[in-house]
Amino acid sequence: MKLIVAIVQDVDAGRVLDALMTEGYRTTKISSTGGFLVRGNTTILIGVQDEQVDPVLDVLRKHCEARREFVSPVLPLSEAASAHHWVQPMEVEVGGATVFVLDVERFEQV
Ligand code: 2BA
């Protein structure tokens, strides 16, 4: 058995969860925050049999879109006060999905 941990953008989460549920997968949705952009994202836990990993990845690929986001670098107050130039916003590409596939040693529902 595997545990798939998928971090997706909030805007894609509803469609991904609907598609997974329609295809019969059980999911847990966790509200999370990316450490870099410090914006909300969604972490989805999906417990599956080994042979279901690739079909789940196909669903994630289908419903998660890569998007370009702008982030303004934050300077410490002391540096900001002495900065003589504007700090340019930085463009980053976020997603589709960041996925970890973990071996599950034991699964119980008690
Ligand atoms: P964030 O940490 O908010 O990162 C958002 C996007 O910012 C990343 O997109 C990446 O393009 C960029 N980025 C992140 N750290 C960076 C850095 N140190 N320097 C320059 N650019 C950086 P994704 O790679 O698609 O990641 C989307 C979200 O997935 C991340 O949101 C984070 O919540 C999660 N994530 C990605 N890689 C991870 C990892 N190795 N471990 C845990 N979570 C991860």
Side-chain angles (χ1 to χ4, degrees):
M1 188 177 189
K2 305 284 188 196
L3 178 65
I4 300 173
V5 179
I7 303 161
V8 307
Q9 295 173 68
D10 284 346
V11 282
D12 294 327
R15 275 180 298 137
V16 174
L17 287 162
D18 285 349
L20 289 169
M21 201 158 65
T22 302
E23 299 206 15
Y25 298 106
R26 292 186 174 194
T27 60
T28 295
K29 170 184 181 288
I30 302 172
S31 297
S32 45
T33 303
F36 188 71
L37 294 181
V38 201
R39 286 186 201 154
N41 54 27
T42 299
T43 299
I44 304 172
L45 307 182
I46 315 145
V48 295
Q49 298 305 318
D50 291 13
E51 63 276 13
Q52 294 174 313
V53 169
D54 287 330
V56 167
L57 288 178
D58 287 341
V59 172
L60 294 168
R61 275 190 205 99
K62 185 170 172 191
H63 294 284
C64 295
E65 212 177 292
R67 296 181 182 85
R68 304 197 77 79
E69 299 278 349
F70 287 91
V71 55
S72 299
V74 178
L75 289 178
L77 269 183
S78 55
E79 280 182 42
S82 62
H84 295 295
H85 57 276
W86 292 104
V87 179
Q88 292 297 317
M90 187 177 139
E91 193 178 20
V92 293
E93 183 169 301
V94 186
T98 298
V99 182
F100 302 88
V101 180
L102 314 176
D103 284 325
V104 174
E105 197 169 301
R106 185 166 163 173
F107 171 68
E108 301 272 358
Q109 285 185 304
V110 294

